[in-house]
Structure formats: C-alpha cells, structure tokens
Amino acid sequence: MEEVREQPNSGPGNLVDGEPDDWSKEVDALEEDHQPSSADPSMDTPPPPQDNNVDIQSSLQTLTLQDSEPKVQDMEMSAAGGQEVMQDPELTKKRHLNVVFIGHVDAGKSTTGGQILFLSGMVDDRTIQKYEKEAKDKSRESWYMAYIMDTNEEERIKGKTVEVGRAHFETETTRFTILDAPGHKSYVPNMISGASQADIGVLVISARKGEFETGYERGGQTREHVQLAKTLGVSKLLVVVNKMDDPTVNWSKERYSEIESKMTPFLKSSGYNVKKDCQFLPLSGLLGSNMKTRISSDVCNWWKGPCLFEALDSIEVPLRDPKGPLRIPIIDKFKDMGTVIMGKIESGSICEGDNLLIMPNKAQVKVLAIFCDENRVRSAGPGENVRVRLSGIEEEDILAGFVLSSVAKPISAVFEFDAQLQILELLDNAIFTAGYKAILHIHSVVEECEIVELLQQIDPKTRKPMKKKVLFVKNGAIIVCRIQVNNMICVEKFSDFPQLGRFTLRSEGKTIAVGKVIDLPSSGSSTSSAVV
C-alpha cells in the first residue's frame, strides 16, 4: 500500500505526565454524544469466490511495497482478459478495523506486526527464510520479522521504522489494516498521521530490563504516543508487554505486574478508562507466543487471559453512519490510469459514478473506480481505507490534507477557527500568548499556524469561563483561542465530526498542546456558547 510520507521533525519529545482527567473526560463525553449510529453496509450481489492459488509472496509485495501497487492492478487486468476484477467491498461481510502499532523505539512494533502477518498466512515460509538470511548478513538476526513491515533499505539498515507501514490480515470475524507507526521521536509527525487513521491502538511495551524504563520516563515515546493516540481519537488500547521471552524477563509475572502497575495510572491521566478501554496482555513478538493461540502453561503458567488475536476480535468500537455526508481526508495521491487519491472514509459512503467535490479548491470530480485493500469494489462505507480513481482533476492539483467531500454538504474550508486548547508543556521559558506560532496537525493536514487572540481561560475545576481577561497562559491551562493558518484548510467542529475536529500543536519536535475545534467563522455562533 501507499505509505504516508512527511518530513521528519526532529527535536526533543518531552511531555508532562499527562493531560488532566477533566479534559479527557470532556472529550470522551463529546465523542459519545456526537458519535453517529450506523447500520452495517452491505452489497446486493454476493462476493465472487476467492482464488486460493494466488502466490502468497506476490501478495506480500502488494501489502507492503509502495511501488508495486500499479503492477498489482495490471496483474488483475491481465488475469481477467484485460478487464479489472470487480469484487464485493465487504468480502465476507466482516467488520473492518484500522489498528495502529505505537510505542517507544525498539519496543518490537514492526516485529510484532510482521509476526501477525506470518501467523495469519499473509507471508509464506520462503519469504521468511529470505528475510532471515538478509538479516543474518547484516548481523541483525532478530530483525527478520520486522523486515515484513519495514520494506525500504534505510529502515532495514537502521532498524528503525521511518514511514507508516501498512498491511492487511483477517481473523474469523474481522478484517484488519495494520498501521505500523515509527517509534523514534524524530518521526512523531509520521506517527500522528498513522494514529489519525486508526480505530484502535496496540501499545507495544518492551519488558526487557531497562527498555521499559527508557520508554516510560519523561522524554520516552511511550508517554507521548499514548497522549497523542488519545487526542487523535484512538479510543481503545491494547497494551501488549512484549519480549517476555527475553533472558532478563523469562515470562516473569513480577515484571509483567510491575509494568501494568506503572502504566495504569498514566493511562488514566491520559484520559483512558482503563477497565473499559484498555487491556493488558503478555507476548513474544519474535517467537509468536500468545499471539494466534494462547500460550501453553509449560511456558507461562500464570497467564489465563486471551491471546492477541482473541483480544483484537473482542474489541468493540462505535458504529459509524454510512448515510452521513462524505468525508475522505486525502493522505496521498499518485497517477495510475488517471488521478488516484488515498484516504480513510471518516463519514458517509462512496460509489462508482458519484460526482463529488475536492475541498478546499472546490474541484468537481467523478469517481471512476474504488479499491479497498487490493480489490476493486463498487462502493465502500465508513472506516474503509480506499484508493479512489478520479476524473476532472490533475494529480498535481491535489495536496495531502485536501478532503474528498459530498457536493450537497461540503466540508468547511477556513483560514481561521476558534478552538479549545489544553496546554501540555511549552518550550523552556515560553509563555502562550497572541502571536505564538506552532505546527498544526489536524486529520491529514500539517500546517503552520499562529494564535491571533486568546478569548477566554477555562477554570479547570468548574469548566466555566473565567471573567478575567486573559493575556497569556502557562503549562496546564485550558483556554479558548482563535487560530489562523496561512493556507485554507478543511476542518469541522468537534461536536459535528470528532475525527475532523481534534488536533495537536507541536513546536520544535515537542507536542505542546491538544485541542478541538469549537467554532468556525461561517457558523455564526458565538464563541462563548460553544464552550462546554
């Protein structure tokens, strides 16, 4: 699949211990109040039979290699005598979930993702043997599973994920898209891009002595990734304690309990309801222990809970509305027999032949073809990652952050908006006031912004605006402010579309604030009435 490409943003990644409970509960409450209901989208025609004789190694390439996608479509055309294969979008009417793998660098995210693909039959033994030899030649024998997800040479040499890897696998009830986010603090913007497309998160923590502590202490990416995931709408989190097979751990219940006891309060402070939204489980990504099948009592006699696949299958996420206005934030574009855009359907449904708008440039386009995973489909519903071939616009006229939108109710395009912000940690000796500049991350938009006016400060205890006029604020403050950008961007009010109305502000490699859009200039509603 296509991978999201952004320029790495280097610098320290220090954060405070977590955003206050009140702020996070408020976001949760809004999400529940405004989460649209849904019926499971289905097609009139049954899916054609699957061809079980497809070469698995070729399938792997279609899953992970960016440059192979047009070739995959060519193969489909030749197989059908020059006609592209038309398949049903919800192949066996399974639900579809996007899973982002997050965590500190070297926690084992890519290795765990690669092992999942191997255990689910997406990778054959010949490919694994090839990767084993390649890793051994680089004197990196334990990295071979990560090579399934880390496909470019830079990632394999460094042993660090840079771009968001993307792959697919299925269980008995669910189709999953894996989003393998980079763990290094220099590539947090890429991690934000991956997490913004996800429905659920898998937080990978290394149980190896010293590695958990490095990721958890201030400046470690375990902390920042959890806070960003919550802000970006990842409402359910699986916390997997990896590397339990390491000689320093040896499936120790004491080590597992120590990690769980330290992570639980931090997850609570980041806004997660640990009992309802989080689940801990031990595993070994390298060996595949406790992943597809439960670990045997001979290896670990104290774990009686589910394995990873069972835990993923059991997660329930809010249903989406397939009849809402169409919203597809564009994460990438390329040429392939026309202009093709990539993105996740956040709202509504899309069908071949639809006439749509690309905002903010109001370009009228027509849908020529839709692809889910590697299959051409007639229509697709909310939550699906799609590639859409369009007519009526050139590839160079589209930028990441543009939104494919319905004509009847297009998305708002603005230069400024009012937002409620939670200040996390400003740079050393900095104060937050009018004129403050930062980088805005909202859905697939990355844009420089400026705070043009501080409107109100919110009392964190009463959740009501303070009467005193605010000129500046410091760490921990909750404020309502007006934010301005240089180029027109597509956003929605958080109360209408939570996925398109939540954002982060970053400066010099640090996440300094999280927020939500509460008012747009065109809406005409007063700022104070939008404060909750």
Side-chain angles (χ1 to χ4, degrees):
M1 289 294 295
E2 284 284 323
E3 297 174 348
V4 182
R5 298 178 180 273
E6 292 182 15
Q7 291 299 319
N9 190 1
S10 60
N14 295 336
L15 281 180
V16 290
D17 286 346
E19 55 187 66
D21 284 336
D22 289 341
W23 164 254
S24 306
K25 290 173 185 171
E26 176 187 347
V27 173
D28 283 341
L30 272 173
E31 285 176 326
E32 291 171 4
D33 290 344
H34 299 281
Q35 188 66 42
S37 61
S38 165
D40 188 22
S42 60
M43 298 302 297
D44 294 333
T45 56
Q50 295 286 317
D51 182 2
N52 293 323
N53 295 322
V54 177
D55 188 282
I56 299 176
Q57 191 168 355
S58 299
S59 297
L60 170 67
Q61 293 169 350
T62 68
L63 292 166
T64 56
L65 296 179
Q66 171 188 356
D67 297 332
S68 69
E69 287 186 359
K71 298 175 187 174
V72 173
Q73 293 160 20
D74 293 342
M75 286 191 289
E76 288 175 348
M77 291 180 66
S78 61
Q83 296 296 319
E84 289 182 327
V85 179
M86 184 74 74
Q87 295 197 13
D88 192 287
E90 309 247 53
L91 299 173
T92 51
K93 294 187 178 179
K94 292 181 179 180
R95 66 173 184 163
H96 175 259
L97 291 178
N98 296 292
V99 186
V100 65
F101 280 70
I102 58 175
H104 193 68
V105 63
D106 290 337
K109 298 180 294 298
S110 298
T111 296
T112 303
Q115 185 69 255
I116 287 173
L117 295 180
F118 176 63
L119 292 173
S120 58
M122 304 306 297
V123 188
D124 65 354
D125 288 328
R126 285 180 303 162
T127 307
I128 292 296
Q129 289 167 7
K130 184 183 83 171
Y131 288 157
E132 277 188 292
K133 183 179 183 304
E134 191 176 330
K136 192 172 183 179
D137 291 344
K138 291 183 171 72
S139 300
R140 296 288 186 269
E141 288 87 345
S142 64
W143 290 3
Y144 71 97
M145 276 293 176
Y147 284 9
I148 299 171
M149 297 300 302
D150 294 339
T151 56
N152 70 43
E153 196 59 27
E154 177 193 1
E155 292 178 323
R156 291 183 176 183
I157 291 172
K158 291 182 177 179
K160 292 184 178 71
T161 304
V162 175
E163 297 164 339
V164 178
R166 192 185 295 262
H168 315 282
F169 76 98
E170 294 188 20
T171 62
E172 291 183 4
T173 62
T174 312
R175 292 186 300 118
F176 290 99
T177 297
I178 295 176
L179 301 165
D180 179 28
H184 196 278
K185 63 185 178 183
S186 298
Y187 307 119
V188 168
N190 292 7
M191 176 268 165
I192 291 174
S193 174
S196 66
Q197 303 164 53
D199 301 303
I200 58 178
V202 175
L203 174 64
V204 183
I205 293 174
S206 172
R208 182 179 288 162
K209 192 173 181 179
E211 287 190 0
F212 164 69
E213 288 74 13
T214 303
Y216 180 71
E217 67 187 16
R218 287 186 60 161
Q221 297 319 110
T222 301
R223 286 173 168 268
E224 185 171 17
H225 279 201
V226 169
Q227 290 174 321
L228 287 171
K230 182 61 181 175
T231 306
L232 294 164
V234 179
S235 58
K236 305 286 185 179
L237 206 60
L238 268 182
V239 185
V240 300
V241 182
N242 190 25
K243 304 188 184 180
M244 290 295 290
D245 60 305
D246 189 81
T248 65
V249 183
N250 199 24
W251 294 95
S252 163
K253 183 178 181 181
E254 289 72 22
R255 179 62 168 167
Y256 174 83
S257 300
E258 177 194 356
I259 291 171
E260 184 176 9
S261 64
K262 286 185 177 179
M263 285 301 301
T264 299
F266 176 68
L267 290 168
K268 285 181 180 177
S269 70
S270 298
Y272 283 101
N273 181 329
V274 177
K275 288 185 178 178
K276 193 170 76 172
D277 299 332
C278 301
Q279 186 174 355
F280 287 80
L281 63 126
L283 56 77
S284 168
L286 184 62
L287 302 180
S289 305
N290 204 38
M291 292 185 68
K292 189 175 183 181
T293 57
R294 297 191 182 193
I295 191 165
S296 70
S297 57
D298 296 339
V299 179
C300 178
N301 57 15
W302 53 267
W303 179 252
K304 308 300 181 185
C307 62
L308 179 62
F309 278 36
E310 290 172 338
L312 286 170
D313 264 341
S314 66
I315 289 181
E316 294 184 6
V317 295
L319 298 173
R320 312 174 185 91
D321 183 9
K323 296 183 179 179
L326 181 70
R327 300 287 187 267
I328 306 180
I330 297 171
I331 59 173
D332 208 349
K333 78 306 173 62
F334 57 91
K335 286 185 177 179
D336 175 28
M337 294 183 288
T339 301
V340 179
I341 62 100
M342 286 181 60
K344 177 187 172 187
I345 305 175
E346 296 289 3
S347 170
S349 301
I350 186 171
C351 301
E352 281 192 0
D354 281 354
N355 292 304
L356 303 170
L357 281 179
I358 287 188
M359 297 292 286
N361 54 3
K362 298 181 180 177
Q364 296 190 1
V365 296
K366 185 173 183 177
V367 177
L368 301 179
I370 306 165
F371 295 88
C372 284
D373 299 344
E374 300 307 322
N375 305 307
R376 181 169 176 179
V377 296
R378 295 181 181 87
S379 65
E384 292 285 358
N385 294 305
V386 292
R387 285 176 290 125
V388 184
R389 186 177 296 142
L390 302 169
S391 65
I393 192 168
E394 293 299 319
E395 180 250 357
E396 54 265 24
D397 295 327
I398 301 174
L399 296 175
F402 283 15
V403 177
L404 190 59
S405 173
S406 57
V407 176
K409 192 176 179 183
I411 190 171
S412 302
V414 299
F415 282 107
E416 66 177 28
F417 57 89
D418 292 349
Q420 185 169 315
L421 272 185
Q422 163 76 52
I423 309 298
L424 297 178
E425 185 176 9
L426 300 170
L427 299 175
D428 294 340
N429 302 318
I431 59 171
F432 194 87
T433 184
Y436 192 97
K437 294 185 177 180
I439 303 297
L440 170 74
H441 293 260
I442 182 165
H443 59 86
S444 54
V445 170
V446 182
E447 187 73 40
E448 188 172 334
C449 71
E450 180 178 349
I451 310 302
V452 291
E453 186 180 359
L454 301 188
L455 301 172
Q456 292 169 329
Q457 184 167 358
I458 308 298
D459 188 320
K461 293 181 180 178
T462 65
R463 317 303 297 169
K464 293 180 180 179
M466 297 180 181
K467 293 181 180 179
K468 183 180 177 182
K469 182 174 175 61
V470 58
L471 297 176
F472 67 90
V473 293
K474 294 186 177 180
N475 292 344
I478 301 174
I479 58 161
V480 176
C481 62
R482 185 157 293 150
I483 298 177
Q484 190 176 78
V485 291
N486 296 327
N487 300 306
M488 188 175 284
I489 62 171
C490 297
V491 298
E492 292 278 15
K493 289 165 67 173
F494 180 87
S495 56
D496 297 334
F497 289 90
Q499 311 94 314
L500 304 174
R502 56 166 69 91
F503 62 90
T504 60
L505 293 183
R506 288 176 57 80
S507 180
E508 297 184 24
K510 286 177 61 174
T511 301
I512 59 168
V514 296
K516 57 185 179 183
V517 178
I518 59 173
D519 202 8
L520 302 173
S522 58
S523 65
S525 60
S526 67
T527 303
S528 58
S529 66
V531 179
V532 290

